[in-house]
Amino acid sequence: IQYEAMRIITAAIESYFASLRSRLGEAKPVLFKAVSIAEWLPQPSQCHMNVDYWIAGRQNCTRVRGWLTWGEDELGSCLFIAHSVVDDNGILYDITPIDPNTSPLMFLKHIGTVEAFDAMQPQFSSATYPFLFELAQASCGLEEDAGYN
């Protein structure tokens, strides 16, 4: 049996995702723009690396960190997927190819430091909020030698 690692939800993480949910009205559609540099093409599921590569040497372009979302579902849950897009003189566009059958993308900008966003990525590159089936801030108390491995 293979188990997924449980994420530990701190008060700061809970507050951050609650804030994202409260800001859903700020999410904006971001259009896809096909780009290339010589033989290089952006790769699916590599948005952060794609944007970093694309903006290198482009003075008017910056990376914008944030979250893809499709809003609340019928149960009130929101899916957030960490994503990076290009800001080219105030115009946002997405250079990372996706499945053409995907619903239109809505992008919600990250508010906070670059370091905070990047630190969340290992555990929270994709998250459904409110969190379900996650450990609270404190340990659940199961020990390694309790026979649960």
Side-chain angles (χ1 to χ4, degrees), residues 108-129:
L108 183 60
K109 288 183 182 180
H110 164 70
I111 295 178
T113 66
V114 168
E115 293 79 14
F117 183 86
D118 291 347
M120 281 188 275
Q121 296 319 292
Q123 290 190 37
F124 297 96
S125 60
S126 175
T128 301
Y129 184 84

PDB file of all heavy atoms in Angstrom, residues 108-129:
ATOM      1  N   LEU A 108      -5.489  34.282  -9.978  1.00  0.00           N
ATOM      2  CA  LEU A 108      -5.564  35.118  -8.786  1.00  0.00           C
ATOM      3  C   LEU A 108      -4.136  35.381  -8.323  1.00  0.00           C
ATOM      4  O   LEU A 108      -3.399  34.448  -7.985  1.00  0.00           O
ATOM      5  CB  LEU A 108      -6.368  34.397  -7.695  1.00  0.00           C
ATOM      6  CG  LEU A 108      -6.626  35.134  -6.398  1.00  0.00           C
ATOM      7  CD1 LEU A 108      -7.407  36.421  -6.652  1.00  0.00           C
ATOM      8  CD2 LEU A 108      -7.397  34.231  -5.439  1.00  0.00           C
ATOM      9  N   LYS A 109      -3.730  36.648  -8.312  1.00  0.00           N
ATOM     10  CA  LYS A 109      -2.361  36.999  -7.940  1.00  0.00           C
ATOM     11  C   LYS A 109      -2.077  36.659  -6.485  1.00  0.00           C
ATOM     12  O   LYS A 109      -2.922  36.824  -5.609  1.00  0.00           O
ATOM     13  CB  LYS A 109      -2.115  38.498  -8.147  1.00  0.00           C
ATOM     14  CG  LYS A 109      -2.020  38.926  -9.578  1.00  0.00           C
ATOM     15  CD  LYS A 109      -1.708  40.413  -9.662  1.00  0.00           C
ATOM     16  CE  LYS A 109      -1.665  40.891 -11.088  1.00  0.00           C
ATOM     17  NZ  LYS A 109      -1.351  42.335 -11.164  1.00  0.00           N
ATOM     18  N   HIS A 110      -0.848  36.217  -6.257  1.00  0.00           N
ATOM     19  CA  HIS A 110      -0.333  35.992  -4.907  1.00  0.00           C
ATOM     20  C   HIS A 110      -0.081  37.346  -4.257  1.00  0.00           C
ATOM     21  O   HIS A 110       0.500  38.242  -4.883  1.00  0.00           O
ATOM     22  CB  HIS A 110       0.964  35.194  -4.985  1.00  0.00           C
ATOM     23  CG  HIS A 110       1.783  35.211  -3.735  1.00  0.00           C
ATOM     24  ND1 HIS A 110       1.401  34.572  -2.588  1.00  0.00           N
ATOM     25  CD2 HIS A 110       2.976  35.817  -3.457  1.00  0.00           C
ATOM     26  CE1 HIS A 110       2.327  34.764  -1.653  1.00  0.00           C
ATOM     27  NE2 HIS A 110       3.283  35.514  -2.160  1.00  0.00           N
ATOM     28  N   ILE A 111      -0.534  37.501  -3.037  1.00  0.00           N
ATOM     29  CA  ILE A 111      -0.209  38.692  -2.250  1.00  0.00           C
ATOM     30  C   ILE A 111       0.712  38.229  -1.128  1.00  0.00           C
ATOM     31  O   ILE A 111       0.318  37.418  -0.295  1.00  0.00           O
ATOM     32  CB  ILE A 111      -1.475  39.373  -1.684  1.00  0.00           C
ATOM     33  CG1 ILE A 111      -2.334  39.901  -2.824  1.00  0.00           C
ATOM     34  CG2 ILE A 111      -1.097  40.487  -0.719  1.00  0.00           C
ATOM     35  CD1 ILE A 111      -3.631  40.540  -2.388  1.00  0.00           C
ATOM     36  N   GLY A 112       1.914  38.729  -1.138  1.00  0.00           N
ATOM     37  CA  GLY A 112       2.906  38.322  -0.156  1.00  0.00           C
ATOM     38  C   GLY A 112       4.266  38.280  -0.825  1.00  0.00           C
ATOM     39  O   GLY A 112       4.428  38.698  -1.978  1.00  0.00           O
ATOM     40  N   THR A 113       5.227  37.747  -0.121  1.00  0.00           N
ATOM     41  CA  THR A 113       6.588  37.724  -0.638  1.00  0.00           C
ATOM     42  C   THR A 113       6.799  36.565  -1.604  1.00  0.00           C
ATOM     43  O   THR A 113       6.087  35.553  -1.552  1.00  0.00           O
ATOM     44  CB  THR A 113       7.617  37.592   0.501  1.00  0.00           C
ATOM     45  OG1 THR A 113       7.463  36.311   1.118  1.00  0.00           O
ATOM     46  CG2 THR A 113       7.452  38.699   1.549  1.00  0.00           C
ATOM     47  N   VAL A 114       7.775  36.733  -2.465  1.00  0.00           N
ATOM     48  CA  VAL A 114       8.186  35.669  -3.377  1.00  0.00           C
ATOM     49  C   VAL A 114       8.626  34.455  -2.564  1.00  0.00           C
ATOM     50  O   VAL A 114       8.288  33.315  -2.884  1.00  0.00           O
ATOM     51  CB  VAL A 114       9.334  36.172  -4.282  1.00  0.00           C
ATOM     52  CG1 VAL A 114       9.981  35.038  -5.045  1.00  0.00           C
ATOM     53  CG2 VAL A 114       8.835  37.249  -5.215  1.00  0.00           C
ATOM     54  N   GLU A 115       9.362  34.715  -1.491  1.00  0.00           N
ATOM     55  CA  GLU A 115       9.879  33.624  -0.662  1.00  0.00           C
ATOM     56  C   GLU A 115       8.743  32.808  -0.038  1.00  0.00           C
ATOM     57  O   GLU A 115       8.820  31.583   0.019  1.00  0.00           O
ATOM     58  CB  GLU A 115      10.798  34.177   0.442  1.00  0.00           C
ATOM     59  CG  GLU A 115      12.089  34.798  -0.072  1.00  0.00           C
ATOM     60  CD  GLU A 115      11.920  36.222  -0.619  1.00  0.00           C
ATOM     61  OE1 GLU A 115      10.868  36.869  -0.380  1.00  0.00           O
ATOM     62  OE2 GLU A 115      12.837  36.685  -1.303  1.00  0.00           O
ATOM     63  N   ALA A 116       7.697  33.482   0.408  1.00  0.00           N
ATOM     64  CA  ALA A 116       6.562  32.764   1.012  1.00  0.00           C
ATOM     65  C   ALA A 116       5.864  31.893  -0.026  1.00  0.00           C
ATOM     66  O   ALA A 116       5.511  30.742   0.245  1.00  0.00           O
ATOM     67  CB  ALA A 116       5.575  33.759   1.627  1.00  0.00           C
ATOM     68  N   PHE A 117       5.664  32.432  -1.225  1.00  0.00           N
ATOM     69  CA  PHE A 117       5.026  31.657  -2.290  1.00  0.00           C
ATOM     70  C   PHE A 117       5.869  30.434  -2.640  1.00  0.00           C
ATOM     71  O   PHE A 117       5.367  29.316  -2.706  1.00  0.00           O
ATOM     72  CB  PHE A 117       4.811  32.530  -3.531  1.00  0.00           C
ATOM     73  CG  PHE A 117       4.093  31.831  -4.646  1.00  0.00           C
ATOM     74  CD1 PHE A 117       2.709  31.792  -4.681  1.00  0.00           C
ATOM     75  CD2 PHE A 117       4.798  31.205  -5.659  1.00  0.00           C
ATOM     76  CE1 PHE A 117       2.040  31.141  -5.709  1.00  0.00           C
ATOM     77  CE2 PHE A 117       4.141  30.557  -6.688  1.00  0.00           C
ATOM     78  CZ  PHE A 117       2.758  30.529  -6.711  1.00  0.00           C
ATOM     79  N   ASP A 118       7.157  30.659  -2.864  1.00  0.00           N
ATOM     80  CA  ASP A 118       8.040  29.566  -3.252  1.00  0.00           C
ATOM     81  C   ASP A 118       8.153  28.503  -2.162  1.00  0.00           C
ATOM     82  O   ASP A 118       8.257  27.314  -2.465  1.00  0.00           O
ATOM     83  CB  ASP A 118       9.424  30.098  -3.625  1.00  0.00           C
ATOM     84  CG  ASP A 118       9.403  30.895  -4.926  1.00  0.00           C
ATOM     85  OD1 ASP A 118       8.393  30.841  -5.671  1.00  0.00           O
ATOM     86  OD2 ASP A 118      10.403  31.598  -5.191  1.00  0.00           O
ATOM     87  N   ALA A 119       8.093  28.906  -0.895  1.00  0.00           N
ATOM     88  CA  ALA A 119       8.182  27.948   0.208  1.00  0.00           C
ATOM     89  C   ALA A 119       6.957  27.042   0.282  1.00  0.00           C
ATOM     90  O   ALA A 119       7.042  25.914   0.761  1.00  0.00           O
ATOM     91  CB  ALA A 119       8.365  28.692   1.529  1.00  0.00           C
ATOM     92  N   MET A 120       5.812  27.511  -0.211  1.00  0.00           N
ATOM     93  CA  MET A 120       4.585  26.700  -0.184  1.00  0.00           C
ATOM     94  C   MET A 120       4.577  25.605  -1.242  1.00  0.00           C
ATOM     95  O   MET A 120       3.846  24.624  -1.122  1.00  0.00           O
ATOM     96  CB  MET A 120       3.353  27.586  -0.410  1.00  0.00           C
ATOM     97  CG  MET A 120       2.918  28.351   0.796  1.00  0.00           C
ATOM     98  SD  MET A 120       1.343  29.155   0.485  1.00  0.00           S
ATOM     99  CE  MET A 120       1.894  30.660  -0.299  1.00  0.00           C
ATOM    100  N   GLN A 121       5.358  25.775  -2.295  1.00  0.00           N
ATOM    101  CA  GLN A 121       5.252  24.902  -3.456  1.00  0.00           C
ATOM    102  C   GLN A 121       5.447  23.411  -3.199  1.00  0.00           C
ATOM    103  O   GLN A 121       4.720  22.616  -3.776  1.00  0.00           O
ATOM    104  CB  GLN A 121       6.174  25.372  -4.576  1.00  0.00           C
ATOM    105  CG  GLN A 121       5.795  26.720  -5.120  1.00  0.00           C
ATOM    106  CD  GLN A 121       4.279  26.876  -5.254  1.00  0.00           C
ATOM    107  OE1 GLN A 121       3.662  26.222  -6.076  1.00  0.00           O
ATOM    108  NE2 GLN A 121       3.683  27.713  -4.432  1.00  0.00           N
ATOM    109  N   PRO A 122       6.390  23.004  -2.379  1.00  0.00           N
ATOM    110  CA  PRO A 122       6.536  21.551  -2.210  1.00  0.00           C
ATOM    111  C   PRO A 122       5.254  20.866  -1.712  1.00  0.00           C
ATOM    112  O   PRO A 122       4.930  19.776  -2.148  1.00  0.00           O
ATOM    113  CB  PRO A 122       7.667  21.423  -1.191  1.00  0.00           C
ATOM    114  CG  PRO A 122       8.451  22.683  -1.349  1.00  0.00           C
ATOM    115  CD  PRO A 122       7.427  23.744  -1.666  1.00  0.00           C
ATOM    116  N   GLN A 123       4.510  21.498  -0.820  1.00  0.00           N
ATOM    117  CA  GLN A 123       3.313  20.864  -0.259  1.00  0.00           C
ATOM    118  C   GLN A 123       2.009  21.413  -0.814  1.00  0.00           C
ATOM    119  O   GLN A 123       0.995  20.725  -0.771  1.00  0.00           O
ATOM    120  CB  GLN A 123       3.296  21.024   1.261  1.00  0.00           C
ATOM    121  CG  GLN A 123       4.353  20.207   1.956  1.00  0.00           C
ATOM    122  CD  GLN A 123       4.132  20.212   3.446  1.00  0.00           C
ATOM    123  OE1 GLN A 123       3.018  20.194   3.931  1.00  0.00           O
ATOM    124  NE2 GLN A 123       5.219  20.236   4.189  1.00  0.00           N
ATOM    125  N   PHE A 124       2.007  22.624  -1.308  1.00  0.00           N
ATOM    126  CA  PHE A 124       0.746  23.268  -1.682  1.00  0.00           C
ATOM    127  C   PHE A 124       0.737  23.759  -3.126  1.00  0.00           C
ATOM    128  O   PHE A 124       0.194  24.809  -3.424  1.00  0.00           O
ATOM    129  CB  PHE A 124       0.433  24.429  -0.724  1.00  0.00           C
ATOM    130  CG  PHE A 124       0.222  23.965   0.679  1.00  0.00           C
ATOM    131  CD1 PHE A 124       1.258  24.006   1.593  1.00  0.00           C
ATOM    132  CD2 PHE A 124      -1.006  23.463   1.079  1.00  0.00           C
ATOM    133  CE1 PHE A 124       1.076  23.555   2.892  1.00  0.00           C
ATOM    134  CE2 PHE A 124      -1.199  23.011   2.373  1.00  0.00           C
ATOM    135  CZ  PHE A 124      -0.157  23.054   3.285  1.00  0.00           C
ATOM    136  N   SER A 125       1.320  22.980  -4.031  1.00  0.00           N
ATOM    137  CA  SER A 125       1.264  23.387  -5.435  1.00  0.00           C
ATOM    138  C   SER A 125      -0.157  23.241  -5.970  1.00  0.00           C
ATOM    139  O   SER A 125      -0.539  23.897  -6.927  1.00  0.00           O
ATOM    140  CB  SER A 125       2.248  22.575  -6.273  1.00  0.00           C
ATOM    141  OG  SER A 125       1.936  21.205  -6.200  1.00  0.00           O
ATOM    142  N   SER A 126      -0.926  22.410  -5.315  1.00  0.00           N
ATOM    143  CA  SER A 126      -2.346  22.256  -5.624  1.00  0.00           C
ATOM    144  C   SER A 126      -3.063  22.026  -4.304  1.00  0.00           C
ATOM    145  O   SER A 126      -2.628  21.209  -3.497  1.00  0.00           O
ATOM    146  CB  SER A 126      -2.549  21.060  -6.553  1.00  0.00           C
ATOM    147  OG  SER A 126      -3.915  20.832  -6.777  1.00  0.00           O
ATOM    148  N   ALA A 127      -4.133  22.760  -4.083  1.00  0.00           N
ATOM    149  CA  ALA A 127      -4.851  22.615  -2.813  1.00  0.00           C
ATOM    150  C   ALA A 127      -6.326  22.902  -3.005  1.00  0.00           C
ATOM    151  O   ALA A 127      -6.704  23.793  -3.755  1.00  0.00           O
ATOM    152  CB  ALA A 127      -4.273  23.570  -1.769  1.00  0.00           C
ATOM    153  N   THR A 128      -7.138  22.122  -2.340  1.00  0.00           N
ATOM    154  CA  THR A 128      -8.572  22.378  -2.285  1.00  0.00           C
ATOM    155  C   THR A 128      -8.868  22.985  -0.929  1.00  0.00           C
ATOM    156  O   THR A 128      -8.453  22.456   0.100  1.00  0.00           O
ATOM    157  CB  THR A 128      -9.378  21.084  -2.474  1.00  0.00           C
ATOM    158  OG1 THR A 128      -9.039  20.523  -3.745  1.00  0.00           O
ATOM    159  CG2 THR A 128     -10.864  21.350  -2.429  1.00  0.00           C
ATOM    160  N   TYR A 129      -9.540  24.119  -0.931  1.00  0.00           N
ATOM    161  CA  TYR A 129      -9.867  24.816   0.308  1.00  0.00           C
ATOM    162  C   TYR A 129     -11.382  24.940   0.403  1.00  0.00           C
ATOM    163  O   TYR A 129     -12.010  25.253  -0.602  1.00  0.00           O
ATOM    164  CB  TYR A 129      -9.214  26.211   0.343  1.00  0.00           C
ATOM    165  CG  TYR A 129      -9.465  26.895   1.660  1.00  0.00           C
ATOM    166  CD1 TYR A 129      -8.652  26.638   2.748  1.00  0.00           C
ATOM    167  CD2 TYR A 129     -10.553  27.743   1.831  1.00  0.00           C
ATOM    168  CE1 TYR A 129      -8.909  27.234   3.984  1.00  0.00           C
ATOM    169  CE2 TYR A 129     -10.807  28.332   3.058  1.00  0.00           C
ATOM    170  CZ  TYR A 129      -9.997  28.074   4.124  1.00  0.00           C
ATOM    171  OH  TYR A 129     -10.251  28.647   5.335  1.00  0.00           O
TER     172      TYR A 129
END
